[in-house]
Amino acid sequence: MTSDMSQPTSPADAALDSLSVLGEGTRRQIFAFIRRARQPVTREETATGVGISRKLAAFHLDKLVDAGLLRARYVSPTGLRKVGRQPKVYEPTDSPIQVSIPDRRHELLAGLLLQAVLTEGDNETAADAVVRTARQRGHELGEQDRARLRPGRLGAERGLTLCEPMLDQHGFEPTREAPDRLRLHNCPFHPLAAQAPDLVCGMNHAFLTGYLQGLQATAVQAILAPRPGECCVQLQHAQPQDPPKAG
């Protein structure tokens, strides 16, 4: 039985995996050596620089590449040499290693705030611009997931299930508190929550509402349900609308 959505690796999980790779002493030495080199280095240069065999250097270099800490590429031989295998070189990736438990999405928060500043309209307050930007970003993510999954019509149960990978990936720590309800145990925008709780709750609510709209999960709704130490929003089955009363 296949699931609707593959489980993506969260940034926190990826960072922890990278750190676990660096837990081995020789690997740590190799990583530090290559970062200090400030230029791509070969297996032979790595082996000489760290004081190990070329075979052992190759083993650890491949582990560092698999973990996303290094990238490898082939370069053309230099000088008069015209034939033979292209040497393989290694260099650091541009990705920083950041671990926060629980997950705090500083880059998402900063991106939303910056976009709000750059697009604030004449008739908007700063808070209105932030909420609008959060809703737009959530809507974009929802549209991307819908295009990738092509889920058809979404009922409430399936809608909640499809939301869980995105919520987990963005640090909300979703838990199925009841069959019809997802509780979010972590606020990824927590750094700002203590100073501006109303703004952060508005951002969270707009972001998740936008996501549901982009996913077209109309049978699920995001509601404000604040609890101490948790996200102020929860996702649940949408309540049926009362029919209009006859005049």
Side-chain angles (χ1 to χ4, degrees):
M1 179 177 179
T2 59
S3 60
D4 293 300
M5 178 182 271
S6 60
Q7 294 290 338
T9 301
S10 72
D13 287 342
L16 287 171
D17 288 343
S18 297
L19 289 177
S20 68
V21 169
L22 291 174
E24 204 281 330
T26 302
R27 218 166 286 158
R28 231 175 13 254
Q29 285 181 278
I30 291 174
F31 183 64
F33 171 77
I34 292 177
R35 285 194 62 85
R36 288 195 301 267
R38 300 294 180 183
Q39 64 182 13
V41 298
T42 64
R43 293 176 177 178
E44 291 78 7
E45 291 169 334
T46 300
T48 301
V50 180
I52 57 177
S53 69
R54 182 189 179 282
K55 184 176 181 180
L56 185 58
F59 170 78
H60 288 304
L61 285 167
D62 289 343
K63 291 291 184 182
L64 291 167
V65 170
D66 291 342
L69 294 167
L70 298 179
R71 59 173 163 258
R73 58 187 174 89
Y74 290 94
V75 297
S76 298
T78 58
L80 299 176
R81 185 180 172 193
K82 300 294 185 181
V83 296
R85 296 179 59 185
Q86 293 179 314
K88 191 175 186 180
V89 297
Y90 299 83
E91 57 193 342
T93 61
D94 299 326
S95 301
I97 303 173
Q98 296 178 343
V99 178
S100 177
I101 302 175
D103 196 4
R104 305 303 190 200
R105 300 308 299 271
H106 304 280
E107 75 290 350
L108 177 59
L109 175 59
L112 292 176
L113 295 177
L114 179 60
Q115 184 66 17
V117 169
L118 294 176
T119 63
E120 183 179 337
D122 294 337
N123 298 321
E124 277 186 314
T125 66
D128 290 340
V130 169
V131 169
R132 170 181 54 77
T133 301
R135 183 186 293 268
Q136 290 174 345
R137 179 57 181 148
H139 197 279
E140 291 169 359
L141 290 174
E143 286 184 324
Q144 291 170 13
D145 281 348
R146 182 165 188 86
R148 179 165 57 87
L149 296 168
R150 303 185 183 277
R153 186 175 179 179
L154 293 177
E157 174 62 28
R158 189 156 177 252
L160 283 180
T161 299
L162 290 179
C163 289
E164 290 186 75
M166 186 282 293
L167 294 169
D168 188 59
Q169 185 179 16
H170 283 79
F172 285 98
E173 295 186 356
T175 299
R176 189 66 70 96
E177 191 176 62
D180 63 345
R181 183 166 65 251
L182 271 178
R183 188 68 204 175
L184 310 180
H185 288 294
N186 180 51
C187 174
F189 304 140
H190 182 75
L192 194 62
Q195 299 177 2
D198 291 341
L199 177 62
V200 171
C201 286
M203 288 175 63
N204 274 321
H205 186 253
F207 178 76
L208 296 174
T209 297
Y211 178 78
L212 293 172
Q213 291 172 344
L215 191 63
Q216 297 181 26
T218 57
V220 180
Q221 64 181 358
I223 66 166
L224 289 170
R227 293 183 190 174
E230 297 185 2
C231 179
C232 52
V233 182
Q234 69 181 26
L235 302 187
Q236 63 183 41
H237 292 187
Q239 300 300 317
Q241 298 293 321
D242 294 330
K245 295 181 180 179

